Amino acid sequence: MADIPPGGFAAPKGIPEYVGPEFVAVRDTLLREADRAGYAHLELPVFEDTALYARGVGESTDVVSKEMYSFADRGGRSVTLRPEGTAGVVRSVVEHGLDRGTLPVKLRYAGPFFRYERPQAGRYRQLQQVGIEAIGVDDPALDAEVLAVADAGFRALGLTGYRLELTSLGDAETRPAYRAELQAFLEKCDLDEATRERARINPLRVLDDKRPEVREQLADAPLMVDHLSDAAAAHHATVKQYLDELGVAYVENPRMVRGLDYYTKTTFEFVHDGLGSQSGIGGGGRYDGLMAELGGQALSGVGFGLGVDRTLLACRAEGLEVAPARRVEVFGVPLGESARDHLVGLIGALRRAGIRSDLAYGGRGLKGAMKAADRSGARYALVLGDRDLEAGTIQLKDLADGSQTEVALADAAAAVDRALHG
């Protein structure tokens, strides 16, 4: 048996843990906006066949070449902890024939994703995301809806210090000519061999290089938005028209390159400047060829992935309270075993009535139990002792002002409800 390390066990490096309601409130608020737009829940596997990501995400991406947690299972199969959600959603749609029914297929998901990166604030090896995908219809109104759902989620949390950056990465007609022009430009740059190899596989990946010496050379690189086909340009213009109608503000960023190869046409990122270098709180776009690449019909899709971790950090940066401080509304304080026996049943009745309730366990005395009641954030304490039992009463104590009201034990649940809701 392995020894316990000095100081005890600790969570793996780069994996945040959340205690309390904040994380859940952020995640559920983002999901609620997707629910309102008709996106059905999909529970994705935590790991998939490695080839799914290599083929779907792109072998030239940092995600595939540097960041995936891949390993051989006991059957010798190469599997990977999911680094992103879109490829898995598309695989599921194809596998289960969801694309054979009403289109678009609108799905949402949430959960942990995994990337081997150098941990720092806002960049984790286990990151939490909420995502949506709308598959099967190439309609700029659907692009605008996806963007509006994300924007509504951020606004519902009270966030104001973010911006939506938007561009188009063109279509099948746009890309060949642009790719040739960009490769010709990159041939004249002073690049190391690894970067030249990336340029050979997918020159767009070089535009995403963060090194200052590379970025300086790319200042005059040709831009995709200047080479859009008539169809791609019209699609982009219509998306912006719908965003205006939906009241979703945006800024154009023609130099944007997302970290995944499958994006086409509408591509976007939500950025919050209060987070330092890890400023992206969500992003996504349209992917015209991904489903066919993964063995399905040649259907387009559009979606996003929003970072719950970074959205929570953005809320903290803006000083927002995204969850109630109260863990419970009522806290039971039994003074003696008989009182505990009665309060166990009463607390259960309160919970069934939808009132968040807790109880002082472990035979604490009055002082310790009241400290626990204060720490719980409850508005009221129900204090029950032997004398109260004999009289058939219970004490309802307001923890804000210290006032106390005696109520009939048989009427306790109704009295609590009246105190909380008037």
Side-chain angles (χ1 to χ4, degrees):
M1 182 179 293
D3 294 333
I4 296 176
F9 290 104
K13 186 177 181 181
I15 297 182
E17 296 180 297
Y18 299 101
V19 178
E22 275 190 313
F23 170 83
V24 174
V26 169
R27 181 197 63 197
D28 290 356
T29 298
L30 298 176
L31 284 171
R32 184 168 62 246
E33 298 304 323
D35 289 342
R36 287 175 175 169
Y39 288 78
H41 178 73
L42 174 63
E43 191 68 26
L44 289 169
V46 175
F47 61 88
E48 299 256 16
D49 188 319
T50 298
L52 171 70
Y53 300 116
R55 190 174 184 92
V57 175
E59 295 193 38
S60 68
T61 63
D62 284 348
V63 171
V64 172
S65 63
K66 300 178 182 179
E67 299 171 2
M68 294 202 311
Y69 278 96
S70 299
F71 55 93
D73 67 10
R74 295 194 177 191
R77 295 170 290 265
S78 179
V79 296
T80 295
L81 295 178
R82 59 188 186 190
E84 60 91 51
T86 302
V89 172
V90 172
R91 187 270 310 148
S92 181
V93 168
V94 173
E95 180 179 355
H96 301 293
L98 301 181
D99 55 322
R100 306 293 176 179
T102 302
L103 299 177
V105 181
K106 298 171 69 172
L107 301 169
R108 67 158 174 89
Y109 59 87
F113 294 80
F114 305 86
R115 296 188 185 180
Y116 189 85
E117 298 187 284
R118 182 172 59 84
Q120 63 185 78
R123 185 167 70 180
Y124 305 124
R125 291 176 175 174
Q126 177 177 296
L127 52 142
Q128 300 282 341
Q129 282 192 353
V130 164
I132 69 173
E133 310 292 345
I135 297 171
V137 175
D138 186 358
D139 185 338
L142 199 54
D143 300 39
E145 175 186 278
V146 166
L147 286 158
V149 167
D151 184 67
F154 294 137
R155 285 190 288 106
L157 289 165
L159 287 171
T160 58
Y162 67 92
R163 66 182 178 277
L164 166 60
E165 296 187 353
L166 181 70
T167 193
S168 173
L169 291 183
D171 56 11
E173 182 182 345
T174 302
R175 289 196 167 199
Y178 174 71
R179 178 188 177 103
E181 183 173 339
L182 180 57
Q183 284 182 320
F185 175 88
L186 294 174
E187 282 293 325
K188 302 174 184 177
C189 296
D190 182 19
L191 304 175
D192 59 79
E193 285 305 314
T195 306
R196 288 203 176 280
E197 179 62 15
R198 293 177 74 193
R200 184 189 66 79
I201 299 172
N202 183 355
L204 277 173
R205 294 268 52 80
V206 181
L207 298 181
D208 199 32
D209 200 305
K210 300 297 190 295
R211 291 172 294 177
E213 65 273 18
V214 176
R215 295 186 72 85
E216 184 177 346
Q217 297 184 69
L218 300 177
D220 296 324
L223 300 175
M224 179 77 80
V225 291
D226 295 329
H227 296 75
L228 296 178
S229 67
D230 291 344
H235 185 280
H236 189 49
T238 306
V239 170
K240 292 186 289 184
Q241 173 193 330
Y242 286 138
L243 289 177
D244 292 339
E245 293 178 6
L246 290 167
V248 177
Y250 61 89
V251 294
E252 294 214 50
N253 179 2
R255 294 187 174 275
M256 182 193 308
V257 179
R258 298 288 295 157
L260 308 172
D261 277 356
Y262 49 62
Y263 287 122
T264 59
K265 295 179 184 168
T266 303
T267 309
F268 58 89
E269 184 171 22
F270 288 89
V271 177
H272 195 289
D273 290 329
L275 301 185
S277 61
Q278 303 303 315
S279 59
I281 57 175
R286 180 165 285 281
Y287 39 92
D288 283 349
L290 181 58
M291 178 169 281
E293 182 69 22
L294 296 180
Q297 300 186 74
L299 296 177
S300 185
V302 61
F304 66 58
L306 308 182
V308 181
D309 307 282
R310 291 189 189 176
T311 302
L312 176 53
L313 291 175
C315 290
R316 290 173 177 171
E318 293 193 25
L320 299 174
E321 183 178 310
V322 297
R326 302 184 190 278
R327 178 167 57 84
V328 295
E329 297 167 288
V330 179
F331 197 91
V333 177
L335 305 178
E337 290 189 15
S338 297
R340 182 188 61 193
D341 293 344
H342 279 79
L343 272 178
V344 164
L346 178 54
I347 292 298
L350 291 174
R351 291 172 180 168
R352 289 191 295 274
I355 297 172
R356 290 177 289 120
S357 311
D358 201 357
L359 181 65
Y361 294 100
R364 298 178 184 178
L366 178 61
K367 185 176 180 181
M370 292 307 298
K371 283 184 177 179
D374 288 335
R375 286 194 294 267
S376 76
R379 287 182 59 188
Y380 295 96
L382 284 169
V383 184
L384 183 63
D386 290 339
R387 290 183 180 178
D388 300 303
L389 281 172
E390 291 176 3
T393 59
I394 193 169
Q395 306 301 316
L396 181 62
K397 186 177 180 67
D398 188 320
L399 294 174
D401 61 20
S403 62
Q404 190 164 294
T405 304
E406 186 175 85
V407 299
L409 186 54
D411 189 45
V416 168
D417 187 66
R418 288 193 298 271
L420 288 169
H421 307 120

